[in-house]
Amino acid sequence: MKQIKPVPYYTQCDTYEFKRLAGEIRTVFLPLVARRFDMHHLNGFPHHAIIRYVARWKKDYPYYLRADIAKYYPSVQVAKVVAQTQIAYRDLLGLPYVPKKFKDRFFLRIAGWMRSLPMEQGIPLGSAMSAILAPLALLPLWLAVKRKYKVKLLVFMDDVLILCKEPYIPREIWQFLSTRLSADLGVTLNLDKTKSGRFAGSKVEFCGWSFAGGYARVTEQKLNEFKQRIADIIKNTRKNDTRSFIKRINNKIDGFGNYYKYGNVLRQFHELDCFIRTLVRGWLTRGVRGKAYANMELEKLGLHALLNCYHKVHIKKTPAKKQPVPPAEYYEHKPPKIDFGAINAIAKHTETVTKQLAQVIAQQRRLLDTLSNLGLSL
């Protein structure tokens, strides 16, 4: 078995020259990757892109293969990474050869970075060159899968989720990947994280999301990691400044909530909010007896809630009712002006007539009273 580099090597950083080289390579490749792959992490897709992409295509591509490469960084052969990067540039352009202009600009400089590494196997995690060359070395493989099997791909570094139309295609792709990865890069698939099935009948996890039965939820691993981060803040923060403590908790809540708020996470967010409030109450009442904090009091202290992040996306505001627009004739034919002088004259005349009628009625009543006293009647 080939020697794998020790752990301290994984944090090795590049010199300024190699960081600049990595930036140039990224500038050349990113427009080409964006044309061929709509869902590759080098394009920088937003948080909601993964679940919306799966929701859009899972009806036409109901089967999947989720694959991961075993120990990609520490076990890949450096010389093969450099060779596959050149092939990736050739395949992205659709040429039968690697352009001489690309070789003259980059080959000797990439070879210099390769010679600076202490061993021929494995690339450092803290390297800017590794961050760009590692995904580029896999591009010829993803392009071959896309052309040969007519599938949809979601690629995040060495993790890939392949959406297929037929149930037999995931098995064929698995065999194809196993052969090509060993021949091209000297690596193998991680069998523990490689899985195939149908979206409607099984669960698959990818990039922190768990897809099952038409729903997208947060994986249990990510939930436990988030809870542990909150618990670490509670444990390591002394009770001297409540404002800074709440701010630290809110930073974690906002980061987690804004990333996962696009999924079907209402129940998960509710449970996490209860968990957070319980720990925060314990911190606030540490060393204090007979004090309790209701939810409203925690809100007054400024504590955020994951459910607020969820509601901003999923609860639609009812638009205000629009006032009816008058027809065009309303503006063309304006109503005549009102003569308020005539109206006032009519009102005065009506008031005079009303008074006169009241006087006549009063006279008739007096006449009737007089007749009744005389014993006469009309």
Side-chain angles (χ1 to χ4, degrees), residues 326-344:
E329 294 80 4
Y330 176 82
Y331 300 99
E332 294 177 358
H333 305 286
K334 296 182 179 180
K337 293 183 178 180
I338 300 175
D339 187 359
F340 290 99
I343 293 176
N344 292 334

Side-chain angles (χ1 to χ4, degrees), residues 51 209 216-218 259-266 310 313-314:
I51 58 175
W209 290 105
R217 299 184 177 90
V218 188
Y259 183 86
Y260 289 106
K261 63 185 177 182
Y262 299 97
N264 309 106
V265 294
L266 179 62
Y310 178 87
V313 176
H314 294 272

Side-chain angles (χ1 to χ4, degrees), residues 42-55:
L42 290 178
N43 298 329
F45 43 75
H47 298 159
H48 58 76
I50 294 176
I51 58 175
R52 291 185 180 179
Y53 191 84
V54 172

Side-chain angles (χ1 to χ4, degrees), residues 10 76 93 103 115 131 137 157 190 203 213 271 320 348:
Y10 298 154
V76 68
L93 292 177
K103 291 183 178 180
R115 288 193 297 269
M157 198 52 231
N190 185 348
K203 181 175 70 173
E271 293 175 354
K348 290 180 179 180

Side-chain angles (χ1 to χ4, degrees), residues 344-355:
N344 292 334
I346 294 172
K348 290 180 179 180
H349 181 69
T350 304
E351 185 179 358
T352 302
V353 171
T354 303
K355 290 180 178 180

